[in-house]
Amino acid sequence: MSTETHDEGGHLPPMTSVRRWLVTTNHKDVGLLYLATSLFFLVLGGVLALLFRIQLWGSGGGFLSALNYNQAVTIHGLLMVFWFLSPFAFGFANYIVPLQIGAKDLAFPRLNALSYWLYLASGLIVAVSFFQGGAFAGGWTMYAPLNMPINTPTIGGTATVLGLTLFIMSTTIGTVNFLTTIHRGRAEGMGLWNLPMFTWSILLTVWMMLFAFAALLAALLLLSYDRVIAAGLGGAEAVHYFGPEASGSLLWAHLFWFFGHPEVYIVFFPALGVMFEVFQTFTGRRIVGRKWVILAMVLVAVQSFLVWMHHMFLSAINLEIKTLMMATTIGISLPFDLMVFSMIYTTVKGRVRFATPFLFVLGSLLLFILGGITGVFLGAVVLDYEFRGTYWVVAHFHYVMVAGVTALVGGLYYWWPKMTGKMYSEYLGKLHFAAYFIGFNLLYLPMFFAWETPRRVFIYPEELAIFQKMATVGAFVFGLSFLIMFYNFAKSYRHGAEAPDNPWEYSQTAEWAIDSPPTLENWKGRVSYASGSLEFVKPGSNDAGGSTSATAADGGTAATDGGAVVAAGQLDTVEQVDDSHEEPHPDHASMWPATIGLGMFVLFLGLSGLTTTSGVLYPALTGTGLLIFLGAALGFGLEEFDAPEANVAERWPFEGVGKNKLGVWFFLASDVIVFGAVIGAYLFSRIAYGWSEWHHGEVVPPFLWPGMVNTFVLLTSSFTVVLAMVYAERGNKKGLVASLGTTLLLGIVFLGIKAWEWSYEFSHGVYPWTDIWYTSYFVTTGMHALHVILGLMVAGFMFWRSTNGAYLDDDEPVELFGLYWHFVDIVWVFLFPMFYLM
């Protein structure tokens, strides 16, 4: 174990200080925060589950009212899917991925911390929603029309929607960060094929998240309009995006499930990565067919976006399309067959040690096989008509999702010695597994036999009571198993034996080559695989004889996960000679991410009741939250924070793209999907309503000339941004200030014309909630206007700084702002013909 404490250096308070956890940006600290917070939401969601399992002890039980029962079921599902499963996996990703790829931190440490604080804020908003007249009660899928304010009218219901929206903002920031880090921060010699399996699983997960969560964000923004603006200002007669006027229920299903089915793999892929790592370590052999397994995972990641409609077999979609979706659904199971057989064959051919981590991943494999087989039934159109909306779906869903949880719990045991420097009790770990596995199967296996019970209904035939009682007993055994886990880890942390740096006999990834727990900046030198084996290159060393390679179990050399397996005690740190690439030391502390998180929590809490109450509380919360956010964002922008890139790293296929620019490109790719989904919603609604009948009413906005003028204004502003970049490159301060100022002025002119246009329409009785055409027009152009406002905030900040000579020595911020501004202008080029010419 390292003698250097984790809390030394980097301007961080000690780990025993509360302030440490409020200001840290270090990836390992943020990973621990994610793990602890996700386990808190696990407990919260688990308590809700136990409440409705008590309700289900007898048919029509009176422990909870119907509304409270629906709230408990809904929020349990939301918490488990969004606030526990993915964040739990990304707690490991934050901690382990930089260690596995040889990085000192993620590419954007402050954004990593911001992602966590927004995640925490979003979850607290959902928790608070119970005290705002009741939380959302329409099911975790939020199907329309149950998501309409008339059916779930409470402020807490709106808060739940806004909390989920904030959560997706958090995940978008994290997604961009991980994509940039893995693609540009790998150690020298570590190609993509050689990435450790856990890192591979995270890379594919964040690629799926980049597009899937963007579609859900678009849907939630439209739903937030329905609940905050249309319901609050338009009254009972308001037209809603997901109302019946233009098949809103089907529109929501398309948007939600375009996210929802990739989400299954977003949740399960990190668990797969854990399974592969643990199988390799505890069987003593490399995963069989490794490259084919990676290709299978890539195929699933792509195909996951082509199967969403199997969740809609009961809708009015024609049979030919349903048949196509059935084929893609069954087809996506084939790559999983390859992965399952790979793990089985690895186990059969290996030297298995039944330690706690291996028991959990083996249990995960067994549960996933049963979940996958029962899922094939739902992939068939005919059988889906029979099983849809029953306990068969509930059982299948949990056998798949909780199989992922099972593997992640195994990962917690696997990496616990690395994260804490302490060994857990194997006896308690195996006792935990026994209670966990028995409890889970006692809870969910009876549901297959009680499949005729409708989901989210607590009245059932008396002959099914025995299965419901078994499930309730199983729920309590399952819950008890987690108490054993918490006790085991608490005892280990306080009184456990010191863990060696590498406690596993055949561990083979780089995190096991360093101290337990790792030092603040992870490495004593630069990590390199250039020789084909793991080496630490020590800057400034003149010891020409100090370079040796770690010996592998098979007589080869220790390489990345794509190479040989490393024997016990042989994954040694190696110092190589005469490295001229001195690695810089990054900062690790900032108060602004937590402050922004606080501002967003207050702001979104205020928005939840802004238009539905006559009091001052929610408007005051909205204003206060906005002020905190703006002040913290300004502090974030002005703070001097050093997060340098490694001088030597693998960056294929983005060698020619800078770190910051690549991050902006990833963000814009996500934003393309957001606007694409909103534009797709417009086209869907118009086709469903009737293309030629779309325009009607006495006043038909928008007028042609304001749209034409605004198009000219925005295109001109793109030209002035280009001029700003040219002047910054030339070091011309006056030209830079003038160009940024002109861009700022043109953006204000654009908003001024748009404001006049809207005010004219309002004065003639045309509002966003008047009918579905006006809803589409106001909401879509309003989202674009919000992007313009955000861009102007950045432009104003840069204009102010440029007057003091900023950006002349470093013109990259001007270029990055230009990328965003060009994107905003391109979006308008699409919106203008849609709403002004069509």
Side-chain angles (χ1 to χ4, degrees):
M1 181 177 175
S2 171
T3 57
E4 180 182 350
T5 59
H6 189 180
D7 52 27
E8 289 180 356
H11 314 294
L12 276 175
M15 296 187 75
T16 54
S17 168
V18 173
R19 184 171 178 270
R20 160 67 169 253
W21 303 101
L22 293 175
V23 303
T24 184
T25 63
N26 183 265
H27 73 95
K28 296 181 291 297
D29 291 348
V30 174
L32 294 175
L33 287 170
Y34 264 108
L35 288 172
T37 307
S38 62
L39 288 172
F40 164 76
F41 287 119
L42 166 68
V43 173
L44 180 57
V47 169
L48 293 173
L50 293 178
L51 290 177
F52 63 73
R53 280 313 320 173
I54 294 173
Q55 176 87 349
L56 288 164
W57 182 261
S59 177
F63 179 74
L64 298 171
S65 69
L67 179 60
N68 289 337
Y69 177 85
N70 283 330
Q71 288 181 47
V73 172
T74 298
I75 301 303
H76 162 78
L78 287 170
L79 288 177
M80 291 304 193
V81 172
F82 293 103
W83 281 275
F84 166 60
L85 268 167
S86 287
F88 190 47
F90 274 82
F92 294 123
N94 267 276
Y95 202 104
I96 300 300
V97 165
L99 299 178
Q100 288 195 338
I101 67 174
K104 289 187 174 181
D105 210 317
L106 291 179
F108 309 108
R110 287 191 302 168
L111 291 183
N112 190 32
L114 176 60
S115 177
Y116 166 75
W117 290 109
L118 294 182
Y119 156 63
L120 176 61
S122 67
L124 292 178
I125 288 173
V126 174
V128 170
S129 69
F130 281 103
F131 305 98
Q132 295 177 281
F136 189 81
W140 80 273
T141 55
M142 296 184 175
Y143 279 144
L146 294 178
N147 58 15
M148 290 292 95
I150 191 172
N151 295 314
T152 48
T154 63
I155 294 174
T158 302
T160 305
V161 173
L162 291 174
L164 185 53
T165 304
L166 186 58
F167 172 82
I168 296 176
M169 294 179 183
S170 162
T171 59
T172 301
I173 294 171
T175 295
V176 169
N177 211 346
F178 274 97
L179 283 171
T180 307
T181 301
I182 297 174
H183 279 298
R184 284 192 55 86
R186 306 188 304 277
E188 179 186 23
M190 179 180 276
L192 283 177
W193 273 118
N194 292 325
L195 283 176
M197 292 302 293
F198 179 70
T199 299
W200 250 117
S201 71
I202 295 299
L203 177 60
L204 293 174
T205 298
V206 291
W207 270 114
M208 287 188 287
M209 289 171 66
L210 187 71
F211 303 116
F213 275 98
L216 181 59
L217 178 59
L220 289 170
L221 290 173
L222 299 180
L223 181 58
S224 297
Y225 157 80
D226 279 349
R227 298 187 65 92
V228 176
I229 298 177
L233 300 178
E237 301 301 320
V239 171
H240 297 84
Y241 231 112
F242 298 111
E245 290 78 15
S247 300
S249 296
L250 193 59
L251 171 60
W252 173 266
H254 277 297
L255 291 173
F256 182 87
W257 286 117
F258 186 79
F259 148 80
H261 202 78
E263 168 67 359
V264 174
Y265 308 111
I266 287 169
V267 166
F268 196 73
F269 264 39
L272 271 177
V274 172
M275 293 167 73
F276 290 133
E277 297 285 3
V278 175
F279 267 102
Q280 290 182 134
T281 296
F282 290 94
T283 61
R285 64 174 291 131
R286 187 179 175 213
I287 198 77
V288 172
R290 183 181 188 275
K291 289 188 177 181
W292 289 106
V293 168
I294 293 172
L295 288 173
M297 293 171 69
V298 172
L299 180 60
V300 169
V302 173
Q303 198 172 347
S304 67
F305 290 93
L306 305 176
V307 298
W308 82 93
M309 223 177 293
H310 72 231
H311 293 275
M312 302 160 65
F313 280 165
L314 268 64
S315 69
I317 297 170
N318 67 59
L319 183 59
E320 289 77 12
I321 294 178
K322 290 179 181 179
T323 303
L324 175 62
M325 285 293 167
M326 180 176 69
T328 60
T329 300
I330 295 173
I332 204 171
S333 67
L334 300 179
F336 277 110
D337 295 339
L338 187 152
M339 295 181 230
V340 167
F341 282 114
S342 172
M343 284 185 274
I344 293 173
Y345 198 67
T346 300
T347 303
V348 170
K349 292 293 183 179
R351 291 157 287 183
V352 178
R353 280 141 298 132
F354 289 94
T356 301
F358 183 78
L359 288 175
F360 273 94
V361 299
L362 182 61
S364 173
L365 180 61
L366 297 175
L367 297 179
F368 179 69
I369 290 173
L370 183 55
I373 291 172
T374 55
V376 173
F377 285 75
L378 297 170
V381 175
V382 176
L383 291 176
D384 188 67
Y385 270 80
E386 188 70 19
F387 288 129
R388 177 65 59 187
T390 70
Y391 265 37
W392 183 279
V393 176
V394 176
H396 153 72
F397 181 79
H398 283 85
Y399 264 90
V400 172
M401 302 294 268
V402 185
V405 176
T406 308
L408 293 175
V409 172
L412 189 56
Y413 280 101
Y414 181 62
W415 281 304
W416 178 261
K418 179 56 57 181
M419 294 187 289
T420 65
K422 298 293 184 72
M423 292 302 297
Y424 59 85
S425 166
E426 270 291 338
Y427 171 77
L428 290 176
K430 291 176 179 178
L431 180 63
H432 172 207
F433 171 75
Y436 180 104
F437 200 73
I438 293 171
F440 173 82
N441 284 285
L442 187 59
L443 169 58
Y444 290 110
L445 192 60
M447 293 186 187
F448 286 119
F449 299 97
W451 68 269
E452 293 174 289
T453 308
R455 65 191 306 187
R456 293 193 288 270
V457 173
F458 54 83
I459 300 174
Y460 50 84
E462 285 300 324
E463 60 268 21
L464 300 180
I466 182 62
F467 300 116
Q468 295 288 355
K469 293 181 189 297
M470 290 172 61
T472 298
V473 172
F476 279 88
V477 175
F478 191 51
L480 175 65
S481 74
F482 283 97
L483 294 181
I484 299 173
M485 181 189 78
F486 288 131
Y487 173 74
N488 191 5
F489 287 143
K491 180 182 177 183
S492 164
Y493 189 75
R494 292 179 63 87
H495 308 295
E498 297 292 320
D501 295 340
N502 181 16
W504 311 124
E505 186 175 358
Y506 291 103
S507 56
Q508 58 181 325
T509 46
E511 72 268 26
W512 301 109
I514 56 177
D515 298 333
S516 296
T519 55
L520 187 66
E521 294 181 11
N522 301 338
W523 317 105
K524 298 174 183 177
R526 177 171 61 82
V527 179
S528 175
Y529 290 96
S531 66
S533 61
L534 174 63
E535 296 178 338
F536 290 171
V537 183
K538 185 176 181 180
S541 173
N542 293 314
D543 180 9
S547 180
T548 57
S549 297
T551 306
D554 61 356
T557 57
T560 66
D561 190 28
V565 181
V566 182
Q570 295 175 336
L571 193 57
D572 299 323
T573 60
V574 179
E575 295 181 0
Q576 199 175 17
V577 299
D578 195 18
D579 180 36
S580 59
H581 302 283
E582 179 74 34
E583 294 295 340
H585 295 280
D587 291 328
H588 294 287
S590 173
M591 64 177 286
W592 299 117
T595 311
I596 292 175
L598 173 63
M600 295 296 275
F601 170 76
V602 177
L603 173 61
F604 274 60
L605 199 61
L607 288 174
S608 66
L610 182 64
T611 60
T612 57
T613 177
S614 58
V616 298
L617 175 61
Y618 287 100
L621 286 174
T622 303
T624 302
L626 184 60
L627 288 175
I628 296 173
F629 167 73
L630 292 175
L634 180 61
F636 191 99
L638 292 174
E639 183 178 46
E640 295 291 336
F641 188 91
D642 192 19
E645 274 193 293
N647 292 321
V648 180
E650 294 294 332
R651 298 188 170 106
W652 186 88
F654 299 108
E655 296 96 335
V657 184
K659 177 183 75 172
N660 295 327
K661 183 186 289 187
L662 185 61
V664 171
W665 277 117
F666 284 136
F667 166 75
L668 292 180
S670 177
D671 217 10
V672 166
I673 301 299
V674 173
F675 271 106
V678 174
I679 292 172
Y682 156 80
L683 295 174
F684 178 92
S685 298
R686 183 164 183 175
I687 292 171
Y689 191 93
W691 191 271
S692 59
E693 292 82 19
W694 185 249
H695 297 286
H696 56 84
E698 295 181 3
V699 180
V700 180
F703 303 107
L704 181 59
W705 72 263
M708 293 182 63
V709 172
N710 264 344
T711 302
F712 175 77
V713 167
L714 278 188
L715 292 177
T716 304
S717 71
S718 274
F719 176 71
T720 59
V721 168
V722 173
L723 287 179
M725 289 189 285
V726 172
Y727 285 124
E729 290 174 357
R730 295 179 178 178
N732 187 326
K733 177 181 176 181
K734 290 184 179 179
L736 174 61
V737 171
S739 300
L740 286 175
T742 304
T743 303
L744 185 62
L745 180 62
L746 289 171
I748 294 172
V749 169
F750 174 89
L751 291 178
I753 294 174
K754 179 58 64 179
W756 174 88
E757 185 180 349
W758 281 19
S759 64
Y760 181 88
E761 289 151 2
F762 293 165
S763 68
H764 286 74
V766 174
Y767 298 99
W769 49 86
T770 300
D771 67 18
I772 188 63
W773 149 237
Y774 300 132
T775 298
S776 299
Y777 160 67
F778 281 110
V779 172
T780 308
T781 58
M783 280 185 57
H784 177 266
L786 180 60
H787 277 70
V788 173
I789 292 170
L790 294 174
L792 290 180
M793 291 169 61
V794 176
F797 174 78
M798 296 180 68
F799 174 76
W800 169 60
R801 292 202 67 200
S802 68
T803 60
N804 297 316
Y807 313 122
L808 299 179
D809 296 327
D810 179 15
D811 60 359
E812 186 184 38
V814 182
E815 181 182 7
L816 300 181
F817 167 71
L819 289 175
Y820 173 82
W821 195 254
H822 294 326
F823 168 76
V824 172
D825 294 352
I826 291 171
V827 170
W828 180 256
V829 170
F830 282 92
L831 298 188
F832 171 65
M834 281 173 48
F835 292 108
Y836 292 82
L837 301 179
M838 293 170 62

